[in-house]
Amino acid sequence: MVQFNFSGDVVMFEIEGHLGVRDNHLFIGGVDAVDLVGEYGSPLFVTNEERLRENYRRYQRAFPDTDVYYAAKANGNLTILRILAEEGAGADVFSGGELYMALLAGISSDRILFNGNSKTDQELRYALQTGVRVSVDSLDELKTLASFARETGKVAEIAFRVNPDISPKTHPKIATGLSTSKFGIPYTQVIEAYDTAKRIEGVKPVGIHCHIGSQIIELTPFVETVNRMMDLVEQIDRLGVKLEFLDLGSGLGIPYKKDEHVPTPEDLADAILPVWSERSDAIGVHPRMILEPGRYITGDTTVLLTRVNLVKEAHKRFVGVDAGFNLMIRQAMYGAYHHVLLANKADLPPMGLYTIAGPICESGDILAHDRELPPVEKDDIIAVLDVGAYGFSMSSQYNGRPRAAEILISHGRPYVIREHETVCDLLAKQTLPPHLL
């Protein structure tokens, strides 16, 4: 979602209503990125509320008769969840912590699906207590959940998560629907699972669930998934199990690279809704569709601002910054690409190749390789784009580095939605045994 326009020697950069350039500085939601670093310090995650709301609304407009459950793992900040709750989003949660945050943000329990391949007993009891639906990942989990339900006199509404054995053509570490994946029950075994569930006291099968992966930029796997899942819906209906919903997960990618063609929610709707309608009518079963977008909703809403500590001529021209893979692990983990630019020299033409390196004691701590940038100097501000999904949510305190603050831009005004950690936070929950005091 980045547009570059070249006019002579000047590089112009703008995303209407989100990012722009004024007086040579990058502006986020109408606020000067350089001023933000001056006021709140560096490194800094900056999220534009207007962009977040519009991304959700675009998905909902493309699928007006579908329940959109935000994938909380993408970015679980309470403010983000609260904004999406206001927009009417449900939530796909993957832990007791994400469930707690979703409820605290105001998302109704009847619009939450508790997903996960290895839930603890404590988490299953919490799901029963809060009345959320559970996506059951195995027969072992089914038996455990049913026993807890009987103990408390409750009935757990469930779906089974299906492993549909479909290749999403994405990075292997984020492909979750392959036959070799740890997630779900193989589609060849799931009918038997529903037959078992309908006879077990304490559970009620009301849905079916799958998710084939993340950052998917082709539509064919989604269409294949709809067909395979509707095959299962038809067979499950013959068992006398009436499914209220079919959760297709999500995984629609975003364009991290310049000129990268990625389908929109509208493209996805045009591809799968006719198939969905045709298959539903043919078998006479019309479950509610649920989708679980995460990256599309939050990915391009956020910029990571990081200050230059030094420029070093070595094998390459390295730019050392104060943010590393402790804050943005996607590059090290997935080889992911993110656009970078100089927030304080946003209109200047590129003059050389630079590799942006973080301060972590790992050779893989590189935020960007060989990028054309204007002349970079100490104290310049690097902006790393499209970090709203799996940015802060995957961050850590590795190397004893406190995590960054998060700022929300709302109607041209910045708000701190997470404070900078300090060294005191590194010691939180640590204790010395008496013999070391």
Side-chain angles (χ1 to χ4, degrees):
M1 300 180 183
V2 178
Q3 297 176 353
F4 288 93
N5 298 307
F6 293 88
S7 177
D9 291 330
V10 179
V11 180
M12 304 297 293
F13 176 88
E14 185 170 355
I15 300 176
E16 185 177 356
H18 179 34
L19 302 179
V21 173
R22 195 183 313 159
D23 298 328
N24 213 23
H25 284 191
L26 175 69
F27 278 67
I28 307 167
V31 179
D32 190 329
V34 178
D35 288 347
L36 287 171
V37 172
E39 182 171 357
Y40 299 106
S42 173
L44 198 64
F45 286 96
V46 183
T47 297
N48 185 353
E49 179 179 347
E50 180 182 351
R51 187 68 172 184
L52 177 67
R53 290 185 185 273
E54 176 53 30
N55 286 350
Y56 176 83
R57 291 169 184 173
R58 188 175 186 186
Y59 228 104
Q60 194 66 82
R61 287 194 298 268
F63 293 92
D65 299 317
T66 296
D67 290 334
V68 178
Y69 283 18
Y70 168 64
K73 59 184 174 288
N75 186 330
N77 184 286
L78 181 61
T79 296
I80 302 297
L81 293 172
R82 180 61 177 166
I83 290 168
L84 293 173
E86 286 189 352
E87 291 292 328
D92 157 57
V93 301
F94 213 83
S95 70
E98 286 185 0
L99 173 55
Y100 176 80
M101 294 292 285
L103 292 169
L104 186 63
I107 298 175
S108 173
S109 60
D110 62 0
R111 290 178 57 77
I112 297 175
L113 184 66
F114 195 163
N115 190 7
N117 66 294
S118 183
K119 305 176 192 72
T120 66
D121 289 356
Q122 182 180 9
E123 288 174 325
L124 292 174
R125 290 184 186 277
Y126 187 33
L128 281 168
Q129 175 191 337
T130 55
V132 300
R133 290 167 166 169
V134 178
S135 178
V136 174
D137 203 81
S138 68
L139 290 178
D140 214 21
E141 182 176 283
L142 173 70
K143 294 172 185 175
T144 301
L145 179 62
S147 70
F148 293 160
R150 291 192 296 270
E151 287 176 10
T152 57
K154 296 179 181 293
V155 175
E157 293 191 344
I158 69 162
F160 281 108
R161 177 160 175 173
V162 178
N163 183 326
D165 190 17
I166 290 173
S167 174
K169 299 178 183 179
T170 187
H171 193 285
K173 291 182 180 178
I174 50 177
T176 58
L178 301 172
S179 62
T180 54
S181 170
K182 69 176 184 176
F183 300 104
I185 297 174
Y187 78 95
T188 55
Q189 301 173 21
V190 78
I191 303 304
E192 182 180 350
Y194 277 92
D195 192 44
T196 299
K198 76 175 186 178
R199 292 182 276 106
I200 292 183
E201 182 184 355
V203 297
K204 179 184 178 183
V206 296
I208 189 168
H209 176 217
C210 72
H211 176 59
I212 61 172
S214 188
Q215 188 53 20
I216 303 169
I217 59 174
E218 294 185 11
L219 295 173
T220 302
F222 293 114
V223 175
E224 186 178 353
T225 299
V226 172
N227 276 311
R228 180 150 294 175
M229 295 301 289
M230 290 305 294
D231 288 343
L232 295 176
V233 168
E234 182 175 11
Q235 295 175 64
I236 293 165
D237 186 66
R238 291 174 190 158
L239 294 175
V241 176
K242 302 302 177 183
L243 297 181
E244 298 175 17
F245 69 88
L246 194 173
D247 186 330
L248 292 170
S250 187
L252 187 66
I254 64 172
Y256 286 103
K257 296 181 179 180
K258 176 186 166 187
D259 298 329
E260 184 176 31
H261 175 72
V262 174
T264 65
E266 295 85 353
D267 294 330
L268 180 61
D270 289 343
I272 69 173
L273 289 182
V275 178
W276 172 276
S277 179
E278 180 182 348
R279 293 299 306 274
S280 296
D281 290 344
I283 64 178
V285 179
H286 297 83
R288 182 81 173 171
M289 181 189 289
I290 296 175
L291 294 174
E292 301 171 356
R295 186 189 311 272
Y296 185 88
I297 303 298
T298 59
D300 73 353
T301 65
T302 304
V303 177
L304 173 60
L305 301 176
T306 176
R307 186 181 294 276
V308 174
N309 291 326
L310 57 90
V311 179
K312 179 173 66 175
E313 294 284 352
H315 169 65
K316 293 184 175 183
R317 186 178 296 154
F318 288 104
V319 176
V321 296
D322 61 5
F325 74 46
N326 62 308
L327 297 182
M328 265 303 296
I329 202 170
R330 295 191 68 252
Q331 297 90 330
M333 189 169 184
Y334 306 126
Y337 179 98
H338 288 264
H339 283 294
V340 297
L341 62 138
L342 283 180
N344 59 310
K345 300 175 180 177
D347 260 357
L348 297 184
M351 297 293 288
L353 285 180
Y354 296 88
T355 290
I356 315 302
I360 302 300
C361 65
E362 305 274 354
S363 297
D365 184 30
I366 303 294
L367 298 183
H369 290 274
D370 297 329
R371 302 300 178 83
E372 286 191 307
L373 293 171
V376 183
E377 302 169 281
K378 179 177 170 59
D379 290 328
D380 282 343
I381 306 299
I382 300 285
V384 185
L385 305 188
D386 305 325
V387 301
Y390 310 103
F392 191 98
S393 65
M394 295 179 74
S395 64
S396 74
Q397 297 173 334
Y398 183 47
N399 268 181
R401 293 191 175 275
R403 282 173 286 213
E406 293 181 280
I407 303 295
L408 180 79
I409 305 299
S410 180
H411 302 290
R413 180 177 175 183
Y415 296 86
V416 178
I417 60 174
R418 190 191 304 266
E419 295 180 354
H420 276 288
E421 290 185 342
T422 70
V423 290
C424 294
D425 294 295
L426 301 179
L427 297 173
K429 304 299 184 182
Q430 294 190 45
T431 59
L432 285 171
H435 71 281
L436 295 178
L437 293 175

